[in-house]
Amino acid sequence: MQNNLFLLRESLPFWKNLNENDQTMILNTIIEKSFSKNTILSGNNNECTGFLIVQYGQLRIYSNSSDGKEITLYRLLDLDSCIFSASCMLKNINFDISISFEKDSDILIIPSDIFNKLSEDNVYVKSFVLDLVSSRFSDVMWIFEQYVFSNMAQRLASTIIEQVSLNNSQTLEITHDYIARELGTAREVVTRLLKQFQDDNLVKLSRNKLEILNLDGLQKKL
């Protein structure tokens, strides 16, 4: 419980504005879960119904299109939180998402009924929810703008640069299928563009591996 208390203090800016009874209620009802790398929770899975806080790990939040393609909306890292994992907590918003655990991850879940009560009773919690929803929608709108207004080469370069940052390495163990899911496009499109990047001496391709040769050159693609 002591570890949970530290995490809640660090990740929830409204924690100091809760009374002792509300803090105790959260600590007594919070759910701890562990998920292995490559676990996927679909939008209709009740295993994450509530307000989600990442203790440690890496989560990919994505949506499926009507034709079965995926597009990444945003990621959650250590101490990040997510309210879209429980759409029932957001009135008049139907936001169907799925969660892919890209690393072994431990998360905390505040049950939706508890978090809803806090939000209704405490202005600081309500303000936090509004700010978080606004931030996540900004992430989604940025993805939408990239999808609509950027060409695929720009989006691919952006994805590679993001992966370099996430992995803290310029040698990525990554497949063309993974990148295609990330971008919501066909694998053949990714393969063609990566070969072009290789011809331009920006990357070096090998089986399930991508070595970045010229990060600045990729930046110029954006």
Side-chain angles (χ1 to χ4, degrees):
M1 183 175 289
Q2 194 64 33
N3 288 339
N4 290 348
L5 178 58
F6 172 79
L7 182 72
L8 291 167
R9 285 173 173 169
E10 290 295 309
S11 60
L12 301 178
F14 60 77
W15 183 259
K16 61 182 179 294
N17 302 113
L18 298 177
N19 60 48
E20 185 175 346
N21 288 337
D22 286 341
Q23 291 180 354
T24 301
M25 177 175 62
I26 292 176
L27 287 169
N28 288 338
T29 58
I30 202 163
I31 301 166
E32 300 181 59
K33 285 185 176 292
S34 297
F35 294 92
S36 301
K37 181 180 178 179
N38 297 325
T39 299
I40 294 177
L41 300 182
S42 62
N44 57 7
N45 190 305
N46 291 323
E47 199 164 4
C48 265
T49 300
F51 183 80
L52 182 156
I53 304 169
V54 182
Q55 287 185 284
Y56 68 85
Q58 183 172 307
L59 285 62
R60 171 179 171 252
I61 313 301
Y62 67 95
S63 182
N64 290 292
S65 66
S66 58
D67 59 359
K69 293 179 181 177
E70 299 175 4
I71 186 166
T72 300
L73 303 177
Y74 53 88
R75 281 182 169 80
L76 300 177
L77 306 175
D78 296 358
L79 299 184
D80 283 342
S81 53
C82 180
I83 199 169
F84 289 144
S85 57
S87 58
C88 59
M89 296 169 62
L90 300 172
K91 296 179 180 178
N92 302 319
I93 295 179
N94 182 13
F95 201 81
D96 190 18
I97 63 169
S98 295
I99 301 174
S100 173
F101 292 84
E102 297 186 316
K103 297 179 179 179
D104 291 345
S105 303
D106 282 356
I107 66 172
L108 298 180
I109 302 170
I110 302 175
S112 57
D113 57 338
I114 300 297
F115 198 83
N116 273 333
K117 183 180 185 305
L118 292 172
S119 182
E120 291 171 359
D121 296 344
N122 189 303
V123 65
Y124 294 100
V125 180
K126 183 174 293 186
S127 177
F128 169 80
V129 170
L130 292 175
D131 287 345
L132 183 59
V133 171
S134 176
S135 174
R136 295 305 178 208
F137 268 120
S138 294
D139 293 337
V140 173
M141 287 305 300
W142 184 86
I143 293 296
F144 174 77
E145 289 175 1
Q146 293 291 305
Y147 196 85
V148 173
F149 299 113
S150 299
N151 62 47
M152 190 58 68
Q154 290 174 311
R155 293 174 57 206
L156 176 58
S158 177
T159 294
I160 294 173
I161 292 168
E162 180 186 25
Q163 289 296 320
V164 168
S165 176
L166 287 170
N167 292 278
N168 194 30
S169 172
Q170 294 196 26
T171 299
L172 306 175
E173 293 186 4
I174 194 169
T175 67
H176 295 193
D177 283 334
Y178 176 89
I179 298 174
R181 291 196 303 272
E182 183 85 359
L183 297 175
T185 189
R187 180 186 185 280
E188 294 76 14
V189 174
V190 171
T191 298
R192 175 175 55 81
L193 287 173
L194 283 175
K195 287 180 178 178
Q196 182 60 58
F197 282 8
Q198 182 170 250
D199 291 342
D200 294 338
N201 293 317
L202 300 176
V203 301
K204 179 181 178 182
L205 304 176
S206 56
R207 184 173 178 81
N208 297 337
K209 187 174 290 186
L210 182 65
E211 182 181 351
I212 287 74
L213 303 178
N214 187 344
L215 193 59
D216 289 339
L218 287 172
Q219 292 277 6
K220 293 177 181 178
K221 290 281 187 180
L222 303 181

